[in-house]
Amino acid sequence: IIYVVTLVVIFLTELTSNTATASIMVPVLASAAEGIGIDPLALLLPGVFATGCAFMLPIATPPNAIVYATHKLEFTSMVGGGFILNILASLV
Protein backbone atom coordinates (compact mmCIF):
# COMPACT_ATOMS: atom_id res chain seq x y z
CA ILE A 1 0.00 0.00 0.00
CA ILE A 2 2.94 2.36 0.69
CA TYR A 3 4.29 1.84 -2.83
CA VAL A 4 0.88 2.57 -4.35
CA VAL A 5 0.56 5.74 -2.28
CA THR A 6 4.01 6.83 -3.43
CA LEU A 7 3.21 6.26 -7.10
CA VAL A 8 -0.15 8.00 -6.89
CA VAL A 9 1.34 11.05 -5.18
CA ILE A 10 4.29 11.25 -7.57
CA PHE A 11 2.09 11.18 -10.65
CA LEU A 12 -0.53 13.49 -9.10
CA THR A 13 2.26 15.98 -8.47
CA GLU A 14 2.98 15.98 -12.19
CA LEU A 15 -0.41 17.59 -12.76
CA THR A 16 -0.39 20.03 -9.82
CA SER A 17 2.30 21.81 -7.88
CA ASN A 18 4.08 19.83 -5.19
CA THR A 19 2.81 22.22 -2.50
CA ALA A 20 -0.80 21.82 -3.60
CA THR A 21 -0.47 18.04 -3.72
CA ALA A 22 0.98 17.93 -0.21
CA SER A 23 -1.78 20.19 1.10
CA ILE A 24 -4.44 17.95 -0.39
CA MET A 25 -2.90 14.56 0.35
CA VAL A 26 -1.77 14.99 3.98
CA PRO A 27 -5.29 14.95 5.48
CA VAL A 28 -6.42 12.27 3.03
CA LEU A 29 -3.48 9.97 3.85
CA ALA A 30 -3.80 10.57 7.60
CA SER A 31 -7.49 9.64 7.53
CA ALA A 32 -6.85 6.63 5.32
CA ALA A 33 -4.14 5.34 7.65
CA GLU A 34 -6.38 5.68 10.68
CA GLY A 35 -9.21 4.02 8.78
CA ILE A 36 -7.15 0.93 8.00
CA GLY A 37 -5.60 0.86 11.44
CA ILE A 38 -1.96 1.71 10.78
CA ASP A 39 0.31 4.45 12.07
CA PRO A 40 -0.42 7.62 10.02
CA LEU A 41 3.30 8.27 9.58
CA ALA A 42 3.54 5.04 7.58
CA LEU A 43 1.59 6.76 4.79
CA LEU A 44 2.36 10.40 5.48
CA LEU A 45 6.14 10.24 5.22
CA PRO A 46 6.29 8.45 1.86
CA GLY A 47 3.46 10.64 0.59
CA VAL A 48 5.10 13.90 1.57
CA PHE A 49 8.52 12.85 0.26
CA ALA A 50 6.90 11.77 -3.01
CA THR A 51 5.62 15.30 -3.63
CA GLY A 52 9.20 16.41 -4.17
CA CYS A 53 9.95 13.60 -6.62
CA ALA A 54 8.10 14.77 -9.70
CA PHE A 55 10.47 15.19 -12.61
CA MET A 56 8.36 14.95 -15.78
CA LEU A 57 6.44 18.19 -16.25
CA PRO A 58 7.34 21.85 -15.70
CA ILE A 59 4.32 22.48 -13.46
CA ALA A 60 5.39 19.92 -10.84
CA THR A 61 8.16 21.83 -9.10
CA PRO A 62 9.80 25.25 -9.52
CA PRO A 63 13.17 23.77 -10.61
CA ASN A 64 11.37 21.91 -13.41
CA ALA A 65 9.81 25.18 -14.58
CA ILE A 66 13.16 26.95 -14.52
CA VAL A 67 14.85 24.24 -16.57
CA TYR A 68 12.00 24.19 -19.08
CA ALA A 69 12.06 28.00 -19.38
CA THR A 70 15.65 27.91 -20.64
CA HIS A 71 14.39 26.23 -23.85
CA LYS A 72 17.42 23.93 -23.80
CA LEU A 73 15.26 20.86 -23.17
CA GLU A 74 12.29 19.80 -25.20
CA PHE A 75 9.05 18.78 -23.52
CA THR A 76 9.42 15.19 -24.74
CA SER A 77 12.92 14.98 -23.26
CA MET A 78 11.60 16.08 -19.87
CA VAL A 79 8.77 13.55 -19.99
CA GLY A 80 11.00 10.66 -21.06
CA GLY A 81 13.76 11.27 -18.56
CA GLY A 82 11.34 12.34 -15.86
CA PHE A 83 9.30 9.15 -16.13
CA ILE A 84 12.40 7.05 -15.50
CA LEU A 85 13.39 9.25 -12.55
CA ASN A 86 9.85 9.01 -11.13
CA ILE A 87 9.96 5.22 -11.21
CA LEU A 88 13.42 5.16 -9.63
CA ALA A 89 12.34 7.61 -6.93
CA SER A 90 9.29 5.49 -6.13
CA LEU A 91 11.52 2.47 -5.57
CA VAL A 92 13.65 4.29 -3.01
Side-chain angles (χ1 to χ4, degrees), residues 3-73:
Y3 185 68
V4 171
V5 165
T6 303
L7 279 177
V8 167
V9 172
I10 284 176
F11 286 103
L12 179 62
T13 303
E14 295 297 346
L15 304 174
T16 62
S17 73
N18 57 345
T19 307
T21 303
S23 297
I24 293 168
M25 293 304 293
V26 165
V28 170
L29 292 174
S31 296
E34 289 178 4
I36 60 175
I38 62 172
D39 182 17
L41 288 179
L43 293 182
L44 287 173
L45 289 177
V48 171
F49 287 135
T51 62
C53 297
F55 305 106
M56 286 174 35
L57 302 178
I59 195 170
T61 62
N64 290 9
I66 292 169
V67 168
Y68 185 70
T70 65
H71 301 290
K72 294 185 179 185
L73 282 178

